[in-house]
Amino acid sequence: MTLPSGRIAELARAAGFDLVGFAKAEPIPAAVLGEWVEAGYHADLDWMRSSVAERLDVGRLVPGAKTVVALGCNCWPGEAESPIARYARGRDYHATLRDRLRALRRSMRQEFPGIADYGSVDSNPVMEKVWAARAGLGYVGKNGLLITPEFGSYVMLAAFIIDAEVDVHADGPQADRCLKCTLCLSSCPTSAFPRERVVDANKCLSYQTIENEGPMPEGLRGATQDIVFGCDVCQSVCPLNASPVLAGPRFAPRAVAGLSVRELAALSREDYQRLVPGTPLARAGFDGLRRNAAYALGAAKDLGARELLTRLASDESEVVREAAAWALGRLD
């Protein structure tokens, strides 16, 4: 059975997706992921290594897979400054895109009964960025992110794998518009790009402020000024992001995005429970956010935060104590 791509695109947009494309479910060359993992650029994200086979072949997830429907949502929350990365200022994008995937699945099963499917948003063993490029939604820029003509790199991605053919497939990634520009590479505060389109998670502040639960390497801490959760530098400097489009209400900033670095460092458990659940910041946890904020205060040499840092240096959390002590040393 060959399904009409136009109708699937209509259903996807009705479910809330801004971008839709189609790619044949052919295996991804091993080198695309294997070389990155073997170089150790995945840091301690061991689940990347343990699920390489599934990531390279979606046929392991959907036997007889024929098509990957690549999906994207604009996530630009607005211009306001915040020490929180833009994608993380509103509702957790995993929840938003999963809601939309469920709506798409319901309508697909109703209209095309009998198909097998598998939906993925970031945390599953699917390389959504590769499929988005193959499906013609954009191309992978020098900063390692998918860059689209409609929304630049401010997009969140999903994939919907089905065991049916569609009548149209993309010819592959769109043309590379980075050309000779290397602003993203030269602007990275920790030199996390060993080469174009390759990110070393060990040096990336997004990894360090979100995934790393222990102390941040000392050589990276001085680069965290105004950065508490995630890092937007390589996107902020990109000329292809010069005209962002405001996203819908699901990506609107929540109150936590309006807090300063000092306010995040001073966050109480009560305020954490009131402000953070349901947002991506929950990934870092109460202690992780305060640890990051202490590093940021030290990186900024914020003398006005001395009393707060002194208090945090006696915190019950070891990682918070260590970060506060380092920050106090920077003030001296």
Side-chain angles (χ1 to χ4, degrees):
M1 177 173 58
T2 299
L3 307 185
S5 57
R7 181 56 181 155
I8 297 174
E10 289 176 358
L11 296 176
R13 292 193 175 93
F17 291 102
D18 299 309
L19 301 173
V20 189
F22 303 90
K24 293 183 178 180
E26 297 171 345
I28 297 169
V32 171
L33 181 60
E35 292 178 0
W36 183 75
V37 170
E38 290 306 314
Y41 293 149
H42 65 308
D44 66 354
L45 303 176
D46 293 332
W47 41 267
M48 294 291 291
R49 180 185 291 275
S50 63
S51 60
V52 166
E54 291 82 1
R55 292 176 188 278
L56 296 177
D57 184 4
V58 296
R60 291 174 175 263
L61 303 172
V62 177
K66 297 290 192 300
T67 303
V68 177
V69 185
L71 304 157
C73 291
N74 172 26
C75 66
W76 173 259
E79 294 284 357
E81 293 297 321
S82 173
I84 297 167
R86 289 183 176 89
Y87 82 89
R89 297 177 188 178
R91 184 179 189 242
D92 190 338
Y93 70 93
H94 293 92
T96 294
L97 269 66
R98 283 172 184 154
D99 286 348
R100 296 176 183 183
L101 270 178
R102 280 191 285 268
L104 175 59
R105 174 178 283 117
R106 285 194 297 270
S107 59
M108 286 282 290
R109 289 182 175 179
Q110 181 176 358
E111 190 139 349
F112 309 111
I115 65 169
D117 59 57
Y118 184 97
S120 172
V121 181
D122 189 34
S123 56
N124 302 92
V126 177
M127 299 181 71
E128 291 93 347
K129 181 172 60 179
V130 173
W131 291 112
R134 282 189 173 189
L137 299 190
Y139 72 99
V140 178
K142 291 180 182 178
N143 59 5
L145 299 171
L146 186 81
I147 298 179
T148 70
E150 298 91 345
F151 308 115
S153 61
Y154 291 113
V155 291
M156 305 312 297
L157 302 174
F160 191 66
I161 305 159
I162 57 177
D163 65 347
E165 297 278 4
V166 297
D167 56 8
V168 174
H169 299 93
D171 293 328
Q174 295 184 6
D176 187 332
R177 294 184 291 145
C178 293
L179 303 177
K180 295 182 179 180
C181 179
T182 57
L183 276 174
C184 59
L185 308 182
S186 60
S187 299
C188 178
T190 56
S191 300
F193 296 98
R195 60 182 183 276
E196 294 178 1
R197 298 175 176 83
V198 176
V199 181
D200 182 353
N202 298 283
K203 296 182 178 180
C204 179
L205 292 181
S206 285
Y207 166 82
Q208 290 295 338
T209 58
I210 300 172
E211 302 292 345
N212 181 13
E213 297 179 356
M216 185 183 297
E218 289 203 29
L220 305 180
R221 299 176 187 182
T224 61
Q225 181 175 345
D226 298 324
I227 293 175
V228 173
F229 185 93
C231 180
D232 279 333
V233 172
C234 66
Q235 298 191 84
S236 297
V237 301
C238 178
L240 299 175
N241 283 330
S243 301
V245 179
L246 188 64
R250 284 291 189 99
F251 291 96
R254 293 191 172 183
V256 69
L259 300 184
S260 67
V261 176
R262 285 193 199 179
E263 288 170 328
L264 288 166
L267 203 63
S268 67
R269 284 195 180 275
E270 292 73 21
D271 284 340
Y272 175 87
Q273 290 298 333
R274 178 173 59 87
L275 296 170
V276 172
T279 75
L281 278 70
R283 179 75 174 175
F286 177 58
D287 294 337
L289 284 178
R290 295 184 303 135
R291 176 205 68 169
N292 296 343
Y295 286 142
L297 293 172
K301 298 183 179 179
D302 185 347
L303 296 177
R306 184 182 295 276
E307 182 179 345
L308 169 59
L309 289 168
T310 300
R311 187 169 78 246
L312 291 177
S314 300
D315 192 82
E316 62 182 16
S317 165
E318 181 178 353
V319 293
V320 173
R321 293 198 305 270
E322 193 274 343
W326 175 85
L328 286 168
R330 291 271 294 185
L331 302 190
D332 296 331

